[in-house]
Amino acid sequence: MTYFLENTWLPDPAPAGTWQMTLTNLSDAPLTDFTLSLTSITRIMPDHQLTGATLLQRDANFHEFAPINRAPLASGDSWFFSASGLNRSPFHRNDAAKSAWITLADGQKLPVMVGDLTQGGAAPALPRARLPQGCLTLPFALLPWPNAIKATPGDAPVMLHAQAGMSVADRALMLSVDALHSRLFPAARKVFQLTAAPGSRALSFAHDPALADESYHLDFAETVTLTAATSTGQRYGLIALAQMLHGAFAEHDYRFPATGRIEDAPRYAWRGCHLDVSRHFWTVDEVKRILDILAWHKMNVFHWHLTDDEGWRAQIMAYPQLTATGAKRGAALPDMLPQLGDGPDTSHQFYTQDQMRDVVAHAAGLGIEVMPEIETPGHAASVLAALPDLVDPDEPANSYYSVQGFFNNALNPAVPATFDMLATVFDEIIGIFPSRYLHIGGDEVSANAWLTSPLAQRLMEQQGLSGTFQLQSWFLRKIKDMLTQRGKIMVGWNEIAHGGGVPPEDTMVMAWENPQVGIELAQRGYDVVMTPGQAYYLDMVQSEDWLENGAGWAGPVTPEQSYAYEAEGDFPDDLRPRMRGVQACIWCEHYTTTAWFNDLVFPRLGAVAEAAWTHTGQKDWLRFARQVRLHPVL
């Protein structure tokens, strides 16, 4: 690497401090007539002070600088510059440049190696251990832990085989769980097969229509008997058996029940996990592996965040521009410049409709419902880059910006073509995703959006509306009518209740800003899924230590905090039926690699899974900490 960029943060001047950057030329030749581009989640605001450099342009997280001193940067020399007037003070070591490159006068782009953000004048402490050693209450590898278990440990069989006479459907289901285990642990021994073998133990199925759909019983004797009312309950029982066998095969401390019984059913019906594929794109194979991991944790909803400012990832046949333009980013694309760890080369990443159907089918085979999210009205920079006719031509450019720094990034309710586009998109998405639910986002619209749009101002006057959020409510009510006509339940982030909100009937709201929001929404009649950033956002840092990875706006979220958090918490008894369940959220601003995904998501995904399944009285942090190490990663 011939060029290196160092980043330092100093706390003065308050409130956001100073960001210092040093570019060192380690090549053999002088560096002349160049600019430096970088992406950073810490941004330089319009009102800033810059020393030693000129800011040529900024687009959200993309920055381009030029040195004030245009003399050649000799081999071994460094260019130092600093900026104050930042969007906020950084939280952790990955809050400055994530990617960087040099552009020469001829357009050639040269890669720059980037260092961690350091604290000027302060030596950071080493991060603390995220998990204690832990200890087992019973020597069985089960996560989430069952809600009733009484069993005597014994030796694990070599595998479980189907008892003679088992139906074709039951044998196929049993082997589908064996295939799930093999995908997650390719080097591990098989757990199920069809016929008896030396050292195997028989598994039989029984049917009890009195059991709830997701409930199962396991009775352990010479033959293991799995009782359930539905194939869903059978699947969860098979996963429990596969987990116990896998644990016994992997570590001598784990055993398999010789005798006894497990009676189990989930605490919540909605046990979800969200994945942002806009900020960082994940391949179809990676998405399928994430689904496999969710199934292994007995989670049953996959919330696929397909669109955002950074990229539109879902192929729409009627609007090929959405992926032809909205799914591309690169230094050569003025309307879609690199963001959040992107390099200068153009990337073009989206899912075809056949690929999305493939993912939906894979999820269905695991008992997981896939809920798509088509973000509206905010977080729409990629849409407006692809479909500029949706912009009010008389609205001044850059008249407002979102919390993420994107200018004029909300679909305009006063442009009739907005609704035509959304209706067509919904129709195509509904043809791919059979879920009853369609998530429309509805979050983080800038408080002054549309206020300089003449079209929006006329609409507000005609409808008797005041301010951005009343106009947003008017917009979302029309969206809800569109979804209701199509037989879908509208889901949104908690901001869809702003400005008067939308009717609560057949509407579900995800409470993300803080736990109290969920209670307030339930009081207004909404069904609520609890997904507060303070417990269930898996992009949050896991301690206050500077050297940790992740975001910090919700404060550090330790694995123990995710595990112990009680989503029902302060819900009054009469409102608890409104609390549908819980969901982990994987936002990918900081997820530039698979390694970072694994570092941030695990073990907290397992903690959310157990919080979703296991009742409070059966939870045990030390037992969880001991067991979660057995679970798969991406």
Side-chain angles (χ1 to χ4, degrees):
M1 186 61 65
T2 52
Y3 307 102
F4 183 66
L5 181 68
E6 293 177 287
N7 299 267
T8 301
W9 177 73
L10 300 172
D12 294 326
T18 299
W19 177 13
Q20 297 179 336
M21 287 161 273
T22 305
L23 176 70
T24 301
N25 178 8
L26 298 174
S27 72
D28 296 332
L31 187 58
T32 60
D33 200 8
F34 69 94
T35 64
L36 172 69
S37 298
L38 59 86
T39 70
S40 170
I41 206 161
T42 295
R43 301 186 298 276
I44 295 175
M45 300 297 283
D47 184 14
H48 64 269
Q49 299 78 44
L50 197 56
T51 302
T54 300
L55 180 63
L56 301 179
Q57 61 173 327
R58 181 184 71 78
D59 178 48
N61 306 284
F62 172 84
H63 303 70
E64 186 178 19
F65 302 95
I68 288 179
N69 180 358
R70 305 299 288 183
L73 188 64
S75 174
D77 284 356
S78 299
W79 164 37
F80 171 87
F81 62 103
S82 64
S84 58
L86 310 177
N87 63 314
R88 57 166 173 75
S89 58
F91 297 111
H92 298 281
R93 67 179 178 90
N94 56 352
D95 271 355
K98 294 182 180 297
S99 59
W101 61 93
I102 287 165
T103 303
L104 302 180
D106 63 2
Q108 184 182 1
K109 291 176 171 53
L110 307 175
V112 174
M113 184 176 177
V114 177
D116 280 346
L117 179 64
T118 61
Q119 287 178 293
L126 292 176
R128 292 154 282 182
R130 294 173 180 169
L131 290 172
Q133 182 59 36
C135 59
L136 298 175
T137 51
L138 287 172
F140 306 127
L142 286 164
L143 198 164
W145 192 251
N147 284 300
I149 177 171
K150 187 174 182 179
T152 303
D155 293 333
V158 171
M159 65 181 66
L160 293 174
H161 67 264
Q163 189 179 51
M166 184 181 288
S167 72
V168 170
D170 289 347
R171 283 181 288 168
L173 181 61
M174 181 182 72
L175 292 184
S176 75
V177 173
D178 189 81
L180 168 65
H181 172 258
S182 294
R183 291 194 300 271
L184 292 173
F185 305 100
R189 290 158 49 185
K190 298 286 187 176
V191 290
F192 299 124
Q193 75 171 33
L194 295 180
T195 58
S200 69
R201 192 165 163 186
L203 170 64
S204 69
F205 283 38
H207 182 256
D208 182 353
L211 293 180
D213 286 351
E214 296 186 296
S215 177
Y216 67 90
H217 293 171
L218 286 168
D219 291 287
F220 298 92
E222 184 175 344
T223 295
V224 178
T225 303
L226 193 170
T227 303
T230 66
S231 60
T232 301
Q234 288 178 320
R235 182 183 292 106
Y236 292 147
L238 288 166
I239 289 171
L241 292 170
Q243 286 185 357
M244 287 189 288
L245 284 174
H246 178 78
F249 297 162
E251 290 190 26
H252 290 299
D253 289 346
Y254 290 98
R255 310 291 298 282
F256 191 82
T259 60
R261 190 170 219 229
I262 293 173
E263 296 183 0
D264 204 12
R267 182 178 185 181
Y268 297 121
W270 188 286
R271 303 181 303 281
C273 183
H274 152 287
L275 180 67
D276 165 18
V277 297
S278 183
R279 277 60 176 266
H280 182 87
F281 185 78
W282 303 96
T283 67
V284 169
D285 286 344
E286 288 169 327
V287 172
K288 285 182 176 180
R289 181 165 176 88
I290 291 167
L291 288 166
D292 285 348
I293 293 170
L294 298 184
W296 192 247
H297 287 83
K298 299 179 183 171
M299 302 179 88
N300 63 353
V301 179
F302 177 58
H303 173 177
W304 205 359
H305 185 84
L306 288 164
T307 73
D308 215 301
D309 292 308
E310 289 81 2
W312 180 285
R313 307 301 185 191
Q315 181 185 41
I316 302 298
M317 299 300 187
Y319 291 98
Q321 312 95 301
L322 287 171
T323 46
T325 298
K328 283 184 179 178
R329 283 211 171 269
L333 305 173
D335 293 330
M336 294 291 285
L337 290 166
Q339 302 288 339
L340 298 169
D342 296 334
D345 295 340
T346 298
S347 64
H348 191 196
Q349 298 170 312
F350 66 95
Y351 307 102
T352 68
Q353 294 199 354
D354 284 344
Q355 287 174 322
M356 290 186 285
R357 289 188 182 94
D358 184 31
V359 168
V360 169
H362 186 83
L366 299 167
I368 295 173
E369 183 173 353
V370 182
M371 176 181 67
E373 179 177 355
I374 302 299
E375 182 77 49
T376 186
H379 289 273
S382 61
V383 181
L384 296 173
L387 302 173
D389 289 347
L390 299 183
V391 176
D392 178 352
D394 296 320
E395 181 179 23
N398 300 352
S399 60
Y400 66 89
Y401 58 85
S402 70
V403 67
Q404 287 82 15
F406 287 93
F407 285 101
N408 293 34
N409 72 329
L411 297 176
N412 195 320
V415 176
T418 296
F419 297 99
D420 297 334
M421 181 273 293
L422 288 172
T424 300
V425 167
F426 290 153
D427 286 340
E428 291 198 26
I429 287 294
I430 288 168
I432 299 166
F433 295 90
S435 172
R436 297 164 294 164
Y437 303 97
L438 200 155
H439 201 297
I440 56 82
D443 63 315
E444 295 184 326
V445 173
S446 176
N448 60 339
W450 309 310
L451 298 186
T452 60
S453 162
L455 288 177
Q457 290 302 301
R458 284 197 292 274
L459 175 63
M460 292 169 69
E461 184 178 353
Q462 292 166 3
Q463 298 295 327
L465 304 173
S466 174
T468 293
F469 296 122
Q470 285 193 13
L471 181 54
Q472 175 178 306
S473 175
W474 180 89
F475 177 90
L476 291 178
R477 286 171 180 262
K478 291 179 72 70
I479 299 302
K480 179 173 172 60
D481 288 344
M482 292 165 63
L483 295 180
T484 299
Q485 292 166 11
R486 290 161 172 80
K488 297 297 177 180
I489 294 172
M490 188 171 97
V491 185
W493 303 109
N494 53 243
E495 291 96 325
I496 69 170
H498 287 178
V502 296
E505 295 79 18
D506 291 328
T507 301
M508 190 162 67
V509 183
M510 293 190 162
W512 69 273
E513 289 184 286
N514 59 67
Q516 182 60 31
V517 166
I519 298 172
E520 294 169 358
L521 291 168
Q523 289 170 337
R524 292 174 58 179
Y526 291 104
D527 284 349
V528 177
V529 171
M530 293 296 286
T531 178
Q534 295 78 7
Y536 293 160
Y537 269 37
L538 305 189
D539 58 320
M540 291 296 122
V541 291
Q542 298 181 69
S543 78
E544 293 179 348
D545 298 311
W546 182 266
L547 296 179
E548 280 280 15
N549 296 329
W553 65 263
V557 178
T558 66
E560 184 173 9
Q561 189 170 327
S562 293
Y563 184 81
Y565 174 70
E566 283 293 310
E568 286 186 19
D570 298 322
F571 266 76
D573 288 343
D574 63 321
L575 292 180
R576 288 194 177 182
R578 294 278 180 207
M579 216 288 276
R580 297 283 303 281
V582 302
Q583 180 169 292
C585 284
I586 302 175
W587 296 103
C588 293
E589 286 93 337
H590 291 282
Y591 288 50
T592 51
T593 65
T594 300
W596 280 53
F597 182 100
N598 289 333
D599 184 62
L600 285 162
V601 170
F602 305 106
R604 292 184 294 183
L605 180 64
V608 179
E610 188 153 307
W613 183 280
T614 307
H615 288 275
T616 307
Q618 303 302 318
K619 290 166 66 175
D620 184 313
W621 166 242
L622 292 178
R623 187 259 313 142
F624 169 84
R626 178 69 178 83
Q627 290 186 319
V628 74
R629 293 176 171 89
L630 282 175
H631 276 244
V633 298
L634 186 59

